[in-house]
Amino acid sequence: MPLNSRFWAIIFLSAAFFFSGCTKKKKSYDFDPKNTLFSRLGAEPPSLDWHKSSDTTSAEVIMNMMEGLVEYNLSDPELSLKPALAVKWRAENKAQRWIFTLREGVKWTDGKSFTAQQVVDGWERLLNPATASEYAYFLFGVKNAKAYNSGKIKDFSQVGVHVNSQGELVVDLEAPQSYFPYLLAHHSTYPIRKDVVKKFGDQWTNPRNIQTLGAYRLVKWDHDKAIVLKANKDFYGGEPPIKNVVLHIVKDAQAALNLFDTHKIDILDSLPSVELKHLRKRPEYRTVPLLGIYYFGLNVKKKPTDNVLVRKALSMAIDRKEITDMLGGGQVPMTSWVPKGMFGYMPDKGLKFNVKKARELLDKAGYKDRSRFPTLKLLFNTNEDHQRVAENIQAQLKRNLGINVELGNAEWKVYLSALKSNNTPHIFRMGWIADFPDPDNFLNLMTSYSANNHTNWSNKEFDRLILKAATVTDKKERLRLYGKAQEILVEKEVPVIPIYSYVSTQLVSKRVLGYASNAMGIKKYKEMRLQ
Amino acid sequence: MSQQGVPAMSKTPSIDEEVWEQDLKERLFAKIPLFIFSLLMFTVALSFMGYEIPDALLWADFLLVFGVFTVYVVSRHLTLYVFKRLGEAVLTLFIIASLTFLLLRIMPGGPFDRDKALPPEVLANIEAKYNLNAPLYVQYFDYLKGLSRGYLGESYKYIGRGVTDIIMEALPVSFQLGFYSLILAFLLGIPLGVFAASKHNSRFDYFAMFLANSGTALPSFLVGPILIIIFCFWLNWLPAAFWDGPEYYILPVLTLGLRPVAVIARLTRANVLDVIRSDYIRTARSKGLAEKVVLYKHVLKNSLIPVLTFSGPLAAAILSGSFVIELIFNIPGIGKHFVESVTNRDYPLILGVTLVFSFLLVLANLIVDLLYVYFDPRIKLS
């Protein structure tokens, strides 16, 4: 045989040998679509450890494989609470003590029983300084919790949570908190299996190690690719109708939209804003208010925004509707503070768009000669949509008041450090998304003791109203107090200019039934069905 | 090499035989790189077609390539040079690590700055956990200590995951994508360049250079979506995203490979045109060598030096992932970590990916420098 042919024969034979020994890789997420829901996560979950994670992506996964003492009733527009691991609860001592009766017969995925002590263990772990949990402050309302978290108290039994002789969970608070049960729908307050965490250390959230008690169990976590959940047959609420859930991790909104269009994903939210014009016409399109506000803060220690008349004039000179029309995502223009979809939403409050009045106020503030009005500096974090809003406001203020605004932008973390510095600009952009659906979560933001209040504004009466409202259980009375507080904030003092209340835009495949789009952006797969 | 043998002067058959035997040896020897190349290509083909690659094959590939390289380095007396360069590389990496460490701390904004500000108690616990409350020089020496043991630390963002783990999961994907694109770039770019040069000023030349120019000019964030529209939505042939088998590889590889194909084609063409006019080519032609032999043996080998120079940084850049392409096609590669680790101020991860990229760059440049000697024996490395 000539050399060349012999050479190629050897190559060919060895190739054939290897081919015969190789197996073709299986497609990774090849489940029967009839009983599999495909959804999207917008990022790799940073952690599935519910005491350590602090983001919404991780929360979505955790909330489907775990249960808290209570959960949201997603079909109620005001998102009331319904029993989960606790079957009932009651307040004592003017909402300073809360007592939870726990469900019996609940099993973890390894067959072990759920106990009240596991809730206490969970809280102990959350508050333990060594855990370094970001959400530890969620329970700072509990007696001595803050002291334990800061290391001032070493003994956890001094923290206000214990199991009483009837097996009920008793929580003592530092001060009355009428909304306390809402905190227990949050994943940071879920119970934990101390033994599992101890055995596996940081690796306990690995699918092989993790123990949960929710409707789904974690079976696969391919970092940056997908998470696979399987129905938990032993779930206390019965096995959920959808057997598998594949959560593809898709960062880019456009890529996610392509996947929706090629039927690889059934549910999609945070749609790309430039595509909304077309997407709005599709039958799968849904929009629902999201508990969040988009606002501009004013530095009340800097000239000229230290003058309340100037602040009022600025707020009145901005037509919010012009901005939401430009964005076109269905955002709700807003002059009040509590977002749409939450109790306490009072669209009538706040300074309405009135150019004439705004000009008068500015004249009164001593700037009749507009050329004497200093150029305002407006800062926002770098983002296409924020840029559009900022440019619009710049144009409106020029047009309506004849004043100049200089725009500046910075990368997110640089931006945050600029807000914390002593040199906060006159106007800055901010947003707030609810941690729990209660007005306290929004109004607390602007108290003098809030670390998130970058305006330098403080008002004793406002602080008093917020503290008082937290202790009141009567809804009507709370509403009255929050109304008064909002008046101070957006009508009398105006350290902030609310622009709009967020909406969530979604595409939901027709084959998905029972998905209640809600203002907290929560997806509970156990409540969904497939057609 | 056989073509350059000197057979004509032989008087006795024994010398003829000797020559023939030597010739055979040379020919067999010449087959070794070809064999290794085939094996490598075979591995690539296997992986591209979505087969599980046996560890034995991977090891065989690695050992063979490493072996050939060692033989090459030793036979050309480059051993000392290689060790010298490796020593320099360690120093370079150390300087890069130190500078990056310092720059990160100067950069405004910290890893735990949140839109929802954390209470001071909570922040203190977190800083204690990650040793961020220690003096800067202590943190620096701790970091170096870890680095000397090959420990890159734990990510701040992906809680409980080691930086090494994150990189080792993402890098192979980017490597795969980059490797296919590199192969595409060389297999398509070089012949295109040579061909265009050999048909200089013809219609084909213009066409090829038009393609190459557009390839350089079109950004991947435009090419990617256009390919998706054509192949996913109009023709319905290929999937729009993910990284799960051969059909998923095609569009990203094309998108990533397009620019290198274009650049290499242009570089090759320019240099072939340069070499083709030189005296020794005229000599080769006047000897009566076939045009093909002149072109691919004499011209090409000498025109590849600039392509080689370009290939070092190209390989490092392309193998370490592309943020845009990985985003468009939702590929779980390392590209996103280069960008996101910075926006997250995830110090250990930033340092990790920076070091990986620097290492790749240093390594690629070393290999390129060593290959110079093969392509142009006049080059002396010392």
Side-chain angles (χ1 to χ4, degrees), chain A residues 381-509:
Chain A
N381 57 303
T382 314
N383 171 297
E384 220 176 294
D385 284 341
H386 300 338
Q387 171 118 22
R388 289 164 70 198
V389 174
E391 280 167 359
N392 183 291
I393 284 180
Q394 185 185 36
Q396 287 206 44
L397 291 180
K398 180 83 197 166
R399 185 172 67 222
N400 298 337
L401 292 178
I403 60 174
N404 293 317
V405 178
E406 184 192 317
L407 303 185
N409 64 312
E411 184 259 1
W412 182 231
K413 298 253 176 176
V414 178
Y415 180 71
L416 286 178
S417 55
L419 295 192
K420 277 192 284 185
S421 71
N422 291 324
N423 197 23
T424 312
H426 297 111
I427 312 177
F428 57 89
R429 185 214 78 88
M430 258 295 163
W432 187 266
I433 305 274
D435 294 307
F436 52 93
D438 189 275
D440 180 79
N441 192 234
F442 280 81
L443 285 153
N444 217 322
L445 185 65
M446 294 311 298
T447 53
S448 59
Y449 46 86
S450 160
N452 291 300
N453 177 358
H454 305 295
T455 61
N456 294 318
W457 175 77
S458 66
N459 182 296
K460 282 201 179 114
E461 174 65 7
F462 181 82
D463 288 358
R464 196 189 60 81
L465 283 168
I466 303 310
L467 283 174
K468 173 120 197 275
T471 65
V472 176
T473 35
D474 177 41
K475 215 167 169 177
K476 249 192 183 155
E477 173 63 6
R478 287 191 81 201
L479 216 53
R480 194 185 67 80
L481 293 170
Y482 286 136
K484 272 180 94 176
Q486 288 192 73
E487 273 167 27
I488 295 176
L489 186 67
V490 291
E491 286 177 12
K492 291 183 184 149
E493 294 276 322
V494 202
V496 285
I497 304 176
I499 301 292
Y500 62 78
S501 172
Y502 281 115
V503 284
S504 157
T505 50
Q506 304 177 318
L507 286 177
V508 181
S509 160

Side-chain angles (χ1 to χ4, degrees), chain B residues 342-365:
Chain B
V342 180
T343 47
N344 292 329
R345 302 288 190 277
D346 192 344
Y347 299 154
L349 192 54
I350 299 174
L351 282 160
V353 291
T354 309
L355 285 178
V356 165
F357 180 70
S358 316
F359 176 73
L360 279 175
L361 196 62
V362 168
L363 191 72
N365 277 330

Side-chain angles (χ1 to χ4, degrees), chain B residues 30-149:
Chain B
K31 286 282 192 282
I32 290 176
L34 187 64
F35 173 75
I36 293 171
F37 180 73
S38 313
L39 196 68
L40 283 179
M41 285 301 118
F42 173 68
T43 316
V44 173
L46 265 187
S47 96
F48 190 84
M49 285 158 70
Y51 280 89
E52 210 79 67
I53 301 175
D55 284 348
L57 184 59
L58 275 181
W59 275 108
D61 284 337
F62 174 73
L63 287 177
L64 278 172
V65 171
F66 190 73
V68 167
F69 223 80
T70 314
V71 170
Y72 172 77
V73 166
V74 172
S75 68
R76 293 187 189 237
H77 310 290
L78 293 169
T79 327
L80 201 66
Y81 175 77
V82 167
F83 277 107
K84 220 172 99 188
R85 283 286 297 269
L86 286 178
E88 280 171 25
V90 172
L91 191 69
T92 312
L93 290 180
F94 166 75
I95 294 171
I96 289 172
S98 306
L99 272 181
T100 316
F101 186 92
L102 202 71
L103 284 173
L104 287 180
R105 304 309 163 114
I106 297 171
M107 187 161 60
F112 301 101
D113 286 346
R114 299 276 188 255
D115 49 346
K116 300 188 175 181
L118 296 172
E121 298 85 5
V122 170
L123 203 58
N125 290 336
I126 294 170
E127 287 182 342
K129 179 182 170 184
Y130 294 110
N131 203 20
L132 286 168
N133 49 2
L136 202 57
Y137 69 90
V138 175
Q139 291 183 44
Y140 174 66
F141 284 115
D142 282 351
Y143 179 71
L144 286 188
K145 227 188 284 170
L147 208 57
S148 65
R149 285 181 286 120

Side-chain angles (χ1 to χ4, degrees), chain B residues 12-277:
Chain B
T12 55
S14 67
I15 293 176
D16 244 8
E17 252 166 48
E18 245 173 54
V19 169
W20 191 84
E21 244 172 45
Q22 202 184 341
D23 193 40
L24 177 71
K25 254 188 212 161
E26 272 185 10
R27 280 168 63 195
L28 270 176
F29 195 67
K31 286 282 192 282
I32 290 176
L34 187 64
F35 173 75
I36 293 171
F37 180 73
S38 313
L39 196 68
L40 283 179
M41 285 301 118
F42 173 68
T43 316
V44 173
L46 265 187
S47 96
F48 190 84
M49 285 158 70
Y51 280 89
E52 210 79 67
I53 301 175
D55 284 348
L57 184 59
L58 275 181
W59 275 108
D61 284 337
F62 174 73
L63 287 177
L64 278 172
V65 171
F66 190 73
V68 167
F69 223 80
T70 314
V71 170
Y72 172 77
V73 166
V74 172
S75 68
R76 293 187 189 237
H77 310 290
L78 293 169
T79 327
L80 201 66
Y81 175 77
V82 167
F83 277 107
K84 220 172 99 188
R85 283 286 297 269
L86 286 178
E88 280 171 25
V90 172
L91 191 69
T92 312
L93 290 180
F94 166 75
I95 294 171
I96 289 172
S98 306
L99 272 181
T100 316
F101 186 92
L102 202 71
L103 284 173
L104 287 180
R105 304 309 163 114
I106 297 171
M107 187 161 60
F112 301 101
D113 286 346
R114 299 276 188 255
D115 49 346
K116 300 188 175 181
L118 296 172
E121 298 85 5
V122 170
L123 203 58
N125 290 336
I126 294 170
E127 287 182 342
K129 179 182 170 184
Y130 294 110
N131 203 20
L132 286 168
N133 49 2
L136 202 57
Y137 69 90
V138 175
Q139 291 183 44
Y140 174 66
F141 284 115
D142 282 351
Y143 179 71
L144 286 188
K145 227 188 284 170
L147 208 57
S148 65
R149 285 181 286 120
Y151 177 67
L152 292 171
E154 203 178 281
S155 164
Y156 295 162
K157 165 89 178 173
Y158 303 103
I159 303 161
R161 282 181 73 198
V163 169
T164 318
D165 287 348
I166 294 175
I167 291 175
M168 286 319 286
E169 259 180 69
L171 193 61
V173 176
S174 290
F175 240 81
Q176 214 184 348
L177 168 63
F179 205 69
Y180 298 151
S181 306
L182 269 185
I183 290 176
L184 182 78
F186 289 120
L187 291 191
L188 211 65
I190 294 176
L192 204 67
V194 173
F195 210 55
S198 70
K199 305 260 187 257
H200 187 42
N201 280 343
S202 71
R203 255 185 221 167
F204 177 83
D205 184 23
Y206 294 144
F207 179 66
M209 281 310 106
F210 168 73
L211 279 186
N213 281 329
S214 7
T216 336
L218 290 175
S220 50
F221 60 79
L222 185 66
V223 176
I226 289 176
L227 289 178
I228 290 177
I229 290 174
I230 297 174
F231 290 98
C232 310
F233 290 107
W234 290 355
L235 299 173
N236 201 11
W237 286 351
L238 296 167
F242 298 143
W243 190 252
D244 208 16
E247 66 270 35
Y248 295 88
Y249 301 158
I250 297 172
L251 294 185
V253 169
L254 275 179
T255 314
L256 182 59
L258 187 67
R259 185 185 290 251
V261 166
V263 176
I264 287 181
R266 281 164 41 122
L267 262 179
T268 312
R269 175 179 171 274
N271 289 292
V272 166
L273 281 178
D274 217 27
V275 173
I276 222 165
R277 296 188 188 115

